[in-house]
Amino acid sequence: MRKNFILMLITLFTSSAVFSQQLNYHSIKFAQDPSIHNIEDINLNEAPAIIIQDHRYIQIAQTYQSVSTYYTIHKIIKVNNDAGIEKFNKVYIQMSSNDKLLDLQVRTIDDNGQIKKFDKNNLKELENVEDYGNFKIFAVEGMVKGGELEYIYTVQMNPKSFGREIYQRDVPVCEAKFELKSPKGIYYITKSYNGFPECSSSTDEKTITARDIPALTDEGYSSYKSKLMRVDYKIQRNAVKSNIISWQSISQNLYESIYSETGSSQAKKFLSGLSLEGKSDFEKIKKIEKELKENFSIKNNYNDDYSNVKLIFKNHIANEFGIAKAYIKCWEYLNIHFEIVYTGSRFLGTIDEDFAHYMDLRDILFYFPELNKYVCPSHNYMRIGQTPNVIAGNNGLFITTKNNINDHKLMYLNYRIDTIEYMRYHQNNKGTHAIITINNELNEAKVEHKNFIQGYEAYVYRFIYSSSDKEKKEEFIHDILLSAIDDGKIISYSVENDSIGLSSDNSKYFICNAIYTSESLIEKAGENIFISIGKIIGKQVELYEEQDRTTDVLLQNAKEYNHKIILNIPAGYICKGLDKLIVDNPIYINNELVMQYKSDYKYENNVLEINIKESYRIIELDKNNYNDYRKVANSAADFNKVVLVFEPDSLN
Amino acid sequence: MIKYFVISLLCTILSLSAHSQDISIIEKSCHMDIKTFGSKINVTENYYLSKIFFKNLSNYSKDFIYYSSLDPIKKFEAYTKVPNNKGDYKIIDVESVEDKDVLQNGVFYHDIKNKEFVYPSLNENSIGVLKYSKEITDPHIINTFYFDDTYDCKESKYSITTPISVKIEYSLFNVDTLNIKFVIDTIKDNITYTWTYKNPMKRNYHLKSPSKAYFSPHIIPRICSYKVHNKTITISESIDDLYKWYMTLISKIPNYINKPQIETKVNELVKDAKSDNEKIEIIYKWVQSNIKYIAFEDGMAGFIPRPAGKVFENKYGDCKDMANLLKTMLEIAAIPAYYTWIGTISKPYLYSKIPTTNADNHMICSVKIDDKFFFLDPTSTFTEFPMVSKSIQGKEALVGLNEEDYLIVKIDEIDCNKNLRVDSLKLEINNNVLMGDVLVKMYGFEREDFMQNELNYTIRNKTNLIQDYLLLGKNSSIFTNSNILYNNGSVEIKFDAEFKNDVIETENKLYLNLNLDNSKDNLKINEVENRDSPIFETYKYSYSYYCRLTVPEGYSIEFIPEDIFVNYELFNIKTKYSVFDNKVIFEKKINSNFLVLYEPYFMIYVDFLKNIYTINNQKIILKKN
């Protein structure tokens, strides 16, 4: 699992000493004389593997004056085929820097009941792997089809005041167990999600057992991870405090950790070089963002230097946390009113307002209420305005701030949980305008093609285009305009509004104009001519494969396409096969149009004009509407396959 | 909805940061310094890199270098030269440097690490300077130097300084047309060789490129021998030395365990085998399917196989572990088998030219039947004896016959006719939809690729394999009642298909394309014309397509397209239309008979592709009676 960088930093400061009671850590041992589990359910045996048991024990314990969490996993996995072996014959144990692997037991049983114990000398270590941290890894010894793998390990770690255990995965689980023991006087609470049973046990010993968890595979277009059965837990109260982890306390903690007491003079010096005098707040923010994004590097490392504001302004290097701190010093100095937003990708999960928790706070943004705009400090391709499309539409924890009237020092004000607005479909408008003419020999098409792109895609395109050299730019134009045309030859092209700064003004379209020729668009057969006109709009998303959806549909963003294609039909020919051009596939939910593919044409004076409107106005869709959604998306994919025929005009 | 290819493009750009005008290399160089102390030889590689940053500084400010226990970093220095107003530079040192383990695709554990850092305080026109030294812990293993880079570069330089008592050799690759200046300097008892290359072409990556060793200019030096008190100590003089060294590593394989268990297994496996060939086949298959390939590349341990008994028990191993177990099992069955070193297709070298570890990267096992060698690569799970695996075809194998003797044997490239796919479709038109029975047979690497994909699909919970893999018809087609048959040497897939979106209907005509194959045209013209690397196919293949359409009642055939025949030495395509009673038959045969295709062939390859596009567009016309 990729590390949640913010979470790692939070964990370090929230594990304050709220623990006092003595409790011993109980280790678990293998059962003697194990044998292969006999699974009778045929469906289960068709899976690559079955998790026979997945038991996890979290014990908060005090030993020798220090508090630790002992996290124990005991798993038994039966593998049914080669894919099952490949899935489970390598084990990665993620370790944080202070974690200790206490007790690793691994054994396999082959289909004859022969037991093979793991040679601990083969345990390897990986340190400081990019984005992931440290691991202990091993290859499973003696794993065969029909055999089983069993392992137990305990990791001693810093006391955990909250956490998340996900049990469901892409293979079935027969028995899952969650057990959390805390010292007397310290109470944890849990909340289960997606059908995982709720905990009913006593306050200092929480146990949940679940049986027969079905496999859930990632169906795409979904927040797969957040749909898996899981339990979240957190400390609730100790002898002196209750409701320890609340949105209130989280907000204050986050504020305190992200506000830097030092660095004001460095921020001042940095800002003085940007000639901001007399500029509006919007202009100031824009300038600061440009400077920090183009000249400061983000390196996700816990190195203190990278979150020390003084050093960040000196070295131009920061981690995600540090760069946010630097921005805050700038806003503070310029007295710009802003809010700090903690949120994350919709595709990874959303904040549960009723269960305050750090787990879904993955990204830091700034919100400027007077401007109604966001700045996303760690997304280099974005500019002031919107949030990345995977975040937009999610909820976020908004921390409000204000500058103290006396000393202008920034202060924590309050918090709220609110939705981050997503760009409406008509703000994410794009399309193709093309005029196609066929040469006199009737073997080549010339296309005057204009692509206009607004919104999210424009931000990405500008970022790529502006950092490409001449060859890569041309390749990029090919990729955008000619994705479905194999032999397109660009005669000339130009690009408008490619400067990355324009991404803060959504009325500006990124525009590519090109004139190109293609022979493969045209084909003769007998006295007839064909034109693969659908290829003009480029390769389309295809959702032809039928799926029994189990999870709701999440879309990247709301958007709208408007295509206009004009085809000059050679004299002496009549265009046929036009009925395919009339399509109307709308989806209404509660009488409201939410998606649509609509195309029609005009055919006059040997000119064919095709108009297509394709829109996706929502970003979430009930799984029961998935097939309607497929129908809309596939309409565009079907158009991409349309070939028209020119038959000789018999009147001529 | 437009396909979202750009996001992945964005990721590539962010990670590689290549192909940019935002940054340029001023100088890159490596100096290899060889010294002798008594009977010892010390080799150090001193690297220098300076680059100037123009724009989008944050995209390029990170840098890293790889190292391992075989070439640890001894000295490291990096700094930024920030221009000041006086036309001078202020030096700002890199203070934070991280050592990181690297996850490498397909390798479970290795000891390659990254030293990673960020150039601090960058401004426009700042210069990043990186200097470091690597100690070469074993003089057999010397790094390759590539002159070019993924950025523009002003000057690239490689040099070697060595005492006269040390004999060195070097081989340059892909430099024939380049202007590389070579200078030899002798000062007292030391010789310095220097290669300087000004303004090397930026290295671009294109679809279907082979490894950069095929096209990027590089030098592979080696230390042949050195003299101590008139005694010559050889290191990498010839293949003899390489083999001797390999044998010392083989002699370090720990003691044999589990011997009786392996013997029992072998005897059980071959008890009914009637010939040596059959024994080989059975044992090979057993290792391929029961020992899982898990790659370890752990310093010098990466050169020494684990004992066969251990691999037998663990049920996994890397290439040399699997080769060693296979050799042991074959020998138990009284079949002489040999350790065999080989470079995979990513290493375009000959042992005679590069008698060092630079020439190879893989170990297999070979056997000799009737004076002919057969090469068994147990890491290639679906390869069937006596085929060789895809990645070693056309390569030289270093076959270890015994402690002293070895042979270099050239393995043939597998001919296109062995990697054959045969499609036959029997179709009709119902309600203007083209539908019918399809049978696809795959042989050789076509068969292997399918089976490998099938496994990967199961591992990744993906469905729709047949449609994704065969690429017949448009993706909107529907395949039902599919059935896969696994024969010896082939895979057969049968299914019923409805090819949607493939018939155009007008008032009195039907237009349709009988070529429903979309599988072999994945390069576009501009991707061929604008490339500076060769085109690489993982294997040569032959494709044969047969489609028979029964003309629907009430229709007659108005037009069939012309036949096409394009015949070049390395690739050809032939189509034929014929009419029988009320049936139209379309046949197509493609042969692609190359692994690496160089620039002189690009023009005719474009012609070949254009013909493929034409065939993909050709239509027959049926007319209402």
Side-chain angles (χ1 to χ4, degrees):
Chain A
M1 202 199 326
R2 189 185 191 273
K3 279 202 166 180
N4 177 342
F5 186 73
I6 297 170
L7 185 64
M8 292 311 298
L9 288 161
I10 297 162
T11 317
L12 301 178
F13 64 78
T14 53
S15 43
S16 45
V18 283
F19 311 98
S20 61
Q21 195 79 30
Q22 182 85 24
L23 188 95
N24 288 324
Y25 137 65
H26 297 289
S27 65
I28 295 165
K29 295 272 173 271
F30 279 148
Q32 298 221 327
D33 306 321
S35 59
I36 294 280
H37 293 79
N38 194 15
I39 306 291
E40 280 169 12
D41 186 337
I42 296 167
N43 291 332
L44 289 186
N45 285 321
E46 275 178 4
I50 309 162
I51 315 277
I52 303 285
Q53 73 162 59
D54 178 356
H55 291 179
R56 306 183 199 176
Y57 306 89
I58 298 160
Q59 301 179 64
I60 320 284
Q62 190 174 31
T63 42
Y64 309 112
Q65 305 300 319
S66 73
V67 189
S68 289
T69 293
Y70 294 91
Y71 178 82
T72 304
I73 280 197
H74 182 189
K75 275 193 194 187
I76 302 174
I77 298 151
K78 185 172 182 182
V79 288
N80 292 329
N81 58 27
D82 284 318
I85 299 179
E86 300 279 358
K87 269 174 118 86
F88 290 98
N89 70 355
K90 296 164 219 87
V91 178
Y92 292 79
I93 304 172
Q94 199 164 25
M95 310 282 293
S96 287
S97 51
N98 292 325
D99 290 358
K100 267 187 241 147
L101 184 65
L102 291 184
D103 181 14
L104 174 69
Q105 307 161 62
V106 187
R107 66 181 176 191
T108 48
I109 314 171
D110 72 12
D111 42 347
N112 296 320
Q114 194 84 27
I115 296 168
K116 163 95 180 89
K117 277 197 175 163
F118 176 66
D119 176 356
K120 282 188 190 166
N121 292 322
N122 293 337
L123 183 69
K124 303 273 183 193
E125 259 175 76
L126 296 179
E127 283 178 351
N128 197 13
V129 177
E130 179 86 24
D131 289 338
Y132 296 90
N134 304 335
F135 289 94
K136 303 269 187 193
I137 61 169
F138 61 89
V140 176
E141 297 169 0
M143 198 178 213
V144 296
K145 271 182 260 185
E148 286 180 10
L149 157 69
E150 180 173 13
Y151 61 82
I152 300 173
Y153 65 77
T154 297
V155 179
Q156 182 185 359
M157 46 181 81
N158 286 335
K160 270 171 91 95
S161 44
F162 61 89
R164 168 171 292 170
E165 295 299 327
I166 300 173
Y167 285 90
Q168 194 173 26
R169 53 170 299 161
D170 58 352
V171 296
V173 180
C174 294
E175 188 191 277
K177 189 159 106 179
F178 170 84
E179 194 181 289
L180 189 152
K181 282 185 187 167
S182 56
K184 265 218 166 61
I186 296 174
Y187 302 110
Y188 276 71
I189 53 170
T190 64
K191 184 165 179 183
S192 299
Y193 292 84
N194 306 318
F196 196 68
E198 288 291 348
C199 174
S200 55
S201 29
S202 73
T203 44
D204 60 354
E205 192 175 319
K206 305 244 158 215
T207 309
I208 305 173
T209 310
R211 280 177 215 288
D212 302 326
I213 299 176
L216 181 64
T217 53
D218 189 351
E219 302 171 295
Y221 296 96
S222 109
S223 60
Y224 174 62
K225 266 237 157 102
S226 78
K227 300 292 183 198
L228 298 169
M229 286 191 194
R230 69 165 202 262
V231 56
D232 286 2
Y233 61 91
K234 63 175 178 176
I235 187 165
Q236 171 66 0
R237 62 189 160 95
N238 60 19
V240 287
K241 241 175 133 182
S242 65
N243 199 9
I244 293 174
I245 298 182
S246 63
W247 287 120
Q248 173 74 37
S249 67
I250 288 176
S251 304
Q252 270 167 339
N253 269 335
L254 290 173
Y255 178 81
E256 277 159 30
S257 68
I258 204 167
Y259 178 74
S260 166
E261 295 286 347
T262 61
S264 297
S265 59
Q266 285 77 9
K268 184 180 166 186
K269 191 177 159 213
F270 166 75
L271 293 168
S272 69
L274 302 183
S275 3
L276 300 171
E277 295 76 23
K279 294 217 158 80
S280 66
D281 277 2
F282 174 71
E283 288 298 327
K284 286 177 187 164
I285 296 167
K286 209 176 141 181
K287 188 89 212 275
I288 292 165
E289 184 188 31
K290 175 181 156 65
E291 193 64 24
L292 291 176
K293 284 191 174 165
E294 289 179 11
N295 296 340
F296 283 56
S297 305
I298 295 180
K299 179 125 182 47
N300 275 341
N301 175 285
Y302 308 112
N303 188 331
D304 285 343
D305 288 0
Y306 296 162
S307 51
N308 177 328
V309 177
K310 279 186 179 176
L311 293 172
I312 292 169
F313 281 117
K314 176 174 174 274
N315 292 332
H316 301 189
I317 310 167
N319 55 31
E320 277 180 25
F321 208 59
I323 200 74
K325 286 168 117 180
Y327 274 96
I328 290 174
K329 288 318 276 184
C330 296
W331 312 148
E332 179 189 38
Y333 181 77
L334 296 171
N335 201 7
I336 292 173
H337 182 215
F338 74 103
E339 299 176 359
I340 307 164
V341 188
Y342 281 85
T343 180
S345 164
R346 287 180 286 130
F347 289 82
L348 295 172
T350 57
I351 294 171
D352 178 354
E353 204 168 341
D354 300 327
F355 195 78
H357 211 279
Y358 286 94
M359 299 295 295
D360 293 300
L361 311 176
R362 299 181 176 81
D363 285 275
I364 307 169
L365 317 174
F366 299 113
Y367 177 62
F368 302 92
E370 283 76 19
L371 303 169
N372 189 24
K373 286 180 190 302
Y374 291 87
V375 163
C376 313
S378 45
H379 293 83
N380 253 359
Y381 69 96
M382 296 290 296
R383 288 298 181 266
I384 178 169
Q386 304 295 330
T387 69
N389 57 6
V390 294
I391 289 176
N394 207 351
N395 57 8
L397 173 66
F398 287 67
I399 299 173
T400 55
T401 67
K402 72 166 195 185
N403 276 30
N404 188 313
I405 301 168
N406 300 325
D407 59 1
H408 297 294
K409 195 173 162 236
L410 193 71
M411 302 185 320
Y412 170 86
L413 209 59
N414 208 340
Y415 79 91
R416 68 174 193 282
I417 290 173
D418 214 335
T419 305
I420 297 165
E421 288 219 359
Y422 64 90
M423 276 171 103
R424 302 297 144 172
Y425 69 97
H426 52 77
Q427 299 171 300
N428 236 336
N429 182 19
K430 44 202 160 181
T432 288
H433 286 175
I435 302 169
I436 308 167
T437 317
I438 295 160
N439 67 352
N440 292 335
E441 291 75 33
L442 303 175
N443 59 7
E444 185 184 86
K446 182 175 156 193
V447 187
E448 291 167 64
H449 193 143
K450 173 180 173 177
N451 234 33
F452 50 96
I453 303 131
Q454 186 191 24
Y456 296 118
E457 228 161 280
Y459 308 154
V460 177
Y461 283 12
R462 284 190 184 108
F463 185 72
I464 296 173
Y465 194 79
S466 68
S467 59
S468 297
D469 62 11
K470 196 173 157 283
E471 294 132 52
K472 283 286 138 183
K473 280 191 164 107
E474 190 161 333
E475 220 169 274
F476 180 73
I477 298 293
H478 255 280
D479 286 347
I480 291 183
L481 303 184
L482 295 154
S483 65
I485 302 173
D486 293 321
D487 67 339
K489 203 171 188 153
I490 294 180
I491 295 167
S492 66
Y493 76 89
S494 65
V495 170
E496 296 169 41
N497 295 336
D498 55 327
S499 156
I500 200 163
L502 293 175
S503 290
S504 57
D505 178 357
N506 196 50
S507 68
K508 292 280 189 296
Y509 283 75
F510 179 82
I511 298 170
C512 311
N513 298 297
I515 299 176
Y516 58 85
T517 57
S518 161
E519 291 175 22
S520 73
L521 281 176
I522 306 291
E523 178 62 25
K524 279 191 223 172
E527 49 190 8
N528 306 289
I529 297 163
F530 302 89
I531 177 157
S532 305
I533 196 155
K535 290 185 175 174
I536 296 290
I537 63 165
K539 281 194 179 155
Q540 302 288 305
V541 170
E542 297 182 324
L543 299 171
Y544 292 115
E545 196 190 348
E546 296 223 11
Q547 232 183 29
D548 285 329
R549 280 297 290 200
T550 39
T551 52
D552 290 340
V553 181
L554 274 195
L555 302 177
Q556 291 268 345
N557 45 249
K559 61 191 159 188
E560 181 176 55
Y561 298 90
N562 287 291
H563 305 298
K564 182 194 284 293
I565 302 166
I566 293 170
L567 173 63
N568 293 311
I569 293 153
Y573 287 91
I574 296 180
C575 189
K576 297 274 179 74
L578 297 171
D579 50 330
K580 284 180 190 162
L581 299 177
I582 301 184
V583 181
D584 189 8
N585 284 326
I587 307 179
Y588 289 93
I589 293 178
N590 301 327
N591 292 324
E592 198 186 326
L593 180 67
V594 295
M595 291 184 182
Q596 183 179 33
Y597 177 91
K598 189 175 163 64
S599 67
D600 55 26
Y601 69 91
K602 274 190 281 187
Y603 184 23
E604 285 169 359
N605 304 326
N606 254 18
V607 175
L608 177 72
E609 180 183 316
I610 304 168
N611 283 292
I612 298 171
K613 197 185 244 324
E614 184 187 2
S615 68
Y616 302 88
R617 303 181 175 197
I618 48 174
I619 54 171
E620 285 171 34
L621 191 68
D622 189 273
K623 63 183 177 203
N624 296 317
N625 292 325
Y626 179 67
N627 281 330
D628 296 328
Y629 167 59
R630 279 178 54 213
K631 208 168 152 191
V632 175
N634 288 341
S635 306
D638 287 344
F639 177 75
N640 183 231
K641 300 172 182 62
V642 167
V643 177
L644 299 176
V645 198
F646 304 154
E647 293 180 354
D649 189 346
S650 52
L651 296 174
N652 274 349
Chain B
M1 201 176 358
I2 310 280
K3 247 186 158 162
Y4 236 90
F5 65 93
V6 174
I7 294 298
S8 58
L9 198 65
L10 176 68
C11 300
T12 324
I13 288 199
L14 290 177
S15 58
L16 281 175
S17 302
H19 312 299
S20 176
Q21 56 200 356
D22 299 348
I23 177 174
S24 166
I25 292 174
I26 301 168
E27 186 187 335
K28 77 178 246 181
S29 70
C30 174
H31 176 70
M32 179 160 76
D33 195 22
I34 304 170
K35 288 199 166 78
T36 51
F37 296 99
S39 63
K40 277 199 172 147
I41 184 158
N42 280 3
V43 182
T44 317
E45 289 172 353
N46 302 302
Y47 289 87
Y48 176 86
L49 179 75
S50 61
K51 49 189 173 192
I52 182 158
F53 299 87
F54 301 120
K55 254 179 41 187
N56 296 317
L57 314 176
S58 56
N59 293 356
Y60 309 97
S61 57
K62 284 173 211 166
D63 211 341
F64 63 87
I65 40 185
Y66 287 117
Y67 64 96
S68 75
S69 60
L70 298 172
D71 58 350
I73 292 173
K74 287 294 150 182
K75 277 187 209 153
F76 175 89
E77 187 189 0
Y79 52 85
T80 309
K81 287 163 71 178
V82 185
N84 60 22
N85 306 333
K86 293 166 239 159
D88 201 2
Y89 291 100
K90 188 180 168 195
I91 306 279
I92 299 183
D93 285 322
V94 168
E95 275 164 10
S96 306
V97 181
E98 275 183 84
D99 290 287
K100 290 186 149 186
D101 268 311
V102 182
L103 289 183
Q104 206 179 323
N105 214 353
V107 182
F108 179 62
Y109 180 77
H110 56 68
D111 73 340
I112 298 170
K113 283 178 186 281
N114 237 351
K115 203 177 253 315
E116 212 175 274
F117 61 94
V118 185
Y119 287 106
S121 311
L122 287 183
N123 281 325
E124 208 177 299
N125 295 323
S126 292
I127 293 171
V129 178
L130 167 65
K131 296 176 188 173
Y132 61 97
S133 299
K134 282 179 162 184
E135 180 193 328
I136 301 304
T137 55
D138 190 313
H140 292 93
I141 307 168
I142 295 194
N143 288 311
T144 301
F145 180 78
Y146 283 86
F147 287 97
D148 60 350
D149 208 282
T150 52
Y151 301 129
D152 281 327
C153 179
K154 282 223 171 67
E155 184 173 289
S156 181
K157 196 156 85 183
Y158 187 75
S159 52
I160 305 171
T161 298
T162 176
I164 293 170
S165 59
V166 179
K167 187 182 167 206
I168 63 153
E169 284 282 356
Y170 47 82
S171 305
L172 286 139
F173 294 88
N174 310 317
V175 297
D176 293 352
T177 60
L178 308 178
N179 184 14
I180 293 183
K181 200 173 124 200
F182 176 50
V183 179
I184 303 176
D185 257 335
T186 310
I187 301 172
K188 288 188 186 167
D189 292 341
N190 283 305
I191 311 181
T192 299
Y193 306 84
T194 309
W195 292 264
T196 312
Y197 183 21
K198 300 247 190 221
N199 302 312
M201 276 249 298
K202 180 162 54 173
R203 189 191 316 134
N204 288 313
Y205 285 95
H206 303 278
L207 286 174
K208 289 201 174 194
S209 283
S211 76
K212 66 180 175 192
Y214 280 83
F215 57 93
S216 179
H218 60 286
I219 182 167
I220 303 179
R222 67 178 203 269
I223 298 170
C224 299
S225 61
Y226 60 103
K227 279 202 179 108
V228 188
H229 310 302
N230 293 330
K231 203 182 131 209
T232 302
I233 300 173
T234 56
I235 298 172
S236 301
E237 176 90 51
S238 64
I239 310 174
D240 286 358
D241 301 320
L242 179 65
Y243 188 67
K244 238 181 262 164
W245 184 58
Y246 278 166
M247 286 322 281
T248 60
L249 299 174
I250 288 294
S251 71
K252 290 180 183 160
I253 299 176
N255 282 339
Y256 206 155
I257 56 161
N258 290 329
K259 197 172 176 184
Q261 284 89 332
I262 303 183
E263 281 171 355
T264 312
K265 178 48 91 183
V266 171
N267 293 332
E268 174 199 320
L269 287 172
V270 299
K271 66 177 189 297
D272 299 322
K274 292 178 186 65
S275 65
D276 280 359
N277 274 18
E278 207 178 314
K279 283 183 191 169
I280 295 167
E281 211 177 316
I282 292 169
I283 294 172
Y284 183 33
K285 188 150 203 157
W286 187 88
V287 176
Q288 284 170 304
S289 37
N290 289 282
I291 308 297
K292 296 294 167 201
Y293 174 62
I294 299 183
F296 289 81
E297 287 169 13
D298 196 2
M300 282 313 289
F303 289 90
I304 306 164
R306 291 187 182 79
K310 198 91 201 139
V311 181
F312 180 79
E313 185 181 70
N314 286 349
K315 299 283 183 285
Y316 73 81
D318 58 18
C319 64
K320 56 196 183 300
D321 300 339
M322 293 171 88
N324 187 31
L325 173 63
L326 179 58
K327 176 179 182 288
T328 307
M329 291 176 79
L330 288 168
E331 281 168 348
I332 292 170
I335 311 231
Y338 315 102
Y339 291 118
T340 303
W341 290 263
I342 193 161
T344 60
I345 204 140
S346 64
K347 296 258 186 186
Y349 307 119
L350 299 173
Y351 277 115
S352 55
K353 207 164 177 199
I354 310 280
T356 72
T357 55
N358 275 311
D360 58 33
N361 56 356
H362 193 33
M363 191 194 235
I364 55 171
C365 168
S366 50
V367 290
K368 196 175 172 186
I369 306 165
D370 301 333
D371 261 6
K372 192 171 181 298
F373 280 99
F374 291 88
F375 299 93
L376 315 177
D377 180 354
T379 67
S380 181
T381 314
F382 300 106
T383 303
E384 280 184 327
F385 180 76
M387 275 280 274
V388 299
S389 66
K390 210 164 24 189
S391 63
I392 61 169
Q393 51 173 332
K395 300 292 305 171
E396 276 185 351
L398 170 58
V399 182
L401 298 175
N402 54 44
E403 261 172 55
E404 280 90 36
D405 303 314
Y406 64 87
L407 270 179
I408 301 286
V409 185
K410 171 108 184 333
I411 299 176
D412 290 337
E413 290 178 4
I414 302 295
D415 189 73
C416 64
N417 293 317
K418 298 256 173 65
N419 306 314
L420 174 66
R421 173 172 154 186
V422 183
D423 294 5
S424 73
L425 297 81
K426 288 170 189 152
L427 305 179
E428 53 194 47
I429 298 172
N430 277 331
N431 296 323
N432 294 330
V433 175
L434 197 54
M435 56 175 68
D437 309 333
V438 182
L439 171 66
V440 176
K441 283 190 185 181
M442 290 175 280
Y443 304 83
F445 296 143
E446 289 283 339
R447 167 193 159 277
E448 282 180 29
D449 267 14
F450 176 79
M451 293 177 78
Q452 188 60 52
N453 269 280
E454 192 180 21
L455 177 64
N456 294 346
Y457 264 57
T458 323
I459 294 171
R460 297 193 191 118
N461 306 306
K462 280 172 75 178
T463 49
N464 219 28
L465 167 74
I466 294 179
Q467 208 153 349
D468 291 353
Y469 188 79
L470 296 182
L471 293 169
L472 277 177
K474 309 219 158 52
N475 288 337
S476 48
S477 305
I478 298 170
F479 295 178
T480 47
N481 298 325
S482 61
N483 185 18
I484 307 179
L485 256 175
Y486 306 90
N487 306 323
N488 254 355
S490 74
V491 180
E492 248 181 74
I493 307 172
K494 275 187 191 164
F495 55 92
D496 302 337
E498 272 181 64
F499 295 106
K500 298 219 164 165
N501 287 307
D502 268 308
V503 178
I504 305 163
E505 184 201 5
T506 62
E507 299 94 62
N508 56 356
K509 288 182 187 177
L510 295 177
Y511 302 91
L512 61 144
N513 185 348
L514 293 182
N515 176 55
L516 294 158
D517 151 54
N518 298 308
S519 59
K520 301 294 185 193
D521 59 345
N522 37 9
L523 277 184
K524 292 182 171 189
I525 301 279
N526 73 309
E527 288 159 350
V528 178
E529 283 177 344
N530 302 332
R531 69 192 289 134
D532 33 38
S533 61
I535 297 170
F536 173 66
E537 293 283 359
T538 50
Y539 54 85
K540 302 173 177 177
Y541 60 83
S542 235
Y543 180 53
S544 160
Y545 175 93
Y546 170 95
C547 177
R548 190 190 74 194
L549 174 76
T550 306
V551 175
E553 250 174 64
Y555 281 88
S556 57
I557 301 160
E558 180 183 298
F559 174 82
I560 54 168
E562 58 178 336
D563 297 342
I564 286 180
F565 181 41
V566 184
N567 191 15
Y568 295 110
E569 179 194 349
L570 298 177
F571 34 83
N572 56 60
I573 184 161
K574 191 177 178 177
T575 64
K576 186 169 178 289
Y577 281 89
S578 44
V579 178
F580 260 100
D581 301 329
N582 65 336
K583 294 185 171 60
V584 188
I585 292 164
F586 169 66
E587 290 162 280
K588 176 172 85 169
K589 176 118 185 163
I590 301 179
N591 289 315
S592 172
N593 213 8
F594 67 87
L595 296 177
V596 182
L597 190 73
Y598 287 92
E599 206 266 325
Y601 286 93
F602 289 178
M603 284 284 284
I604 56 170
Y605 194 68
V606 164
D607 182 54
F608 173 67
L609 287 178
K610 281 187 175 168
N611 276 286
I612 289 186
Y613 305 148
T614 302
I615 292 163
N616 290 344
N617 277 336
Q618 282 181 329
K619 288 175 185 60
I620 62 165
I621 304 174
L622 306 177
K623 194 178 173 182
K624 243 182 211 160
N625 295 331

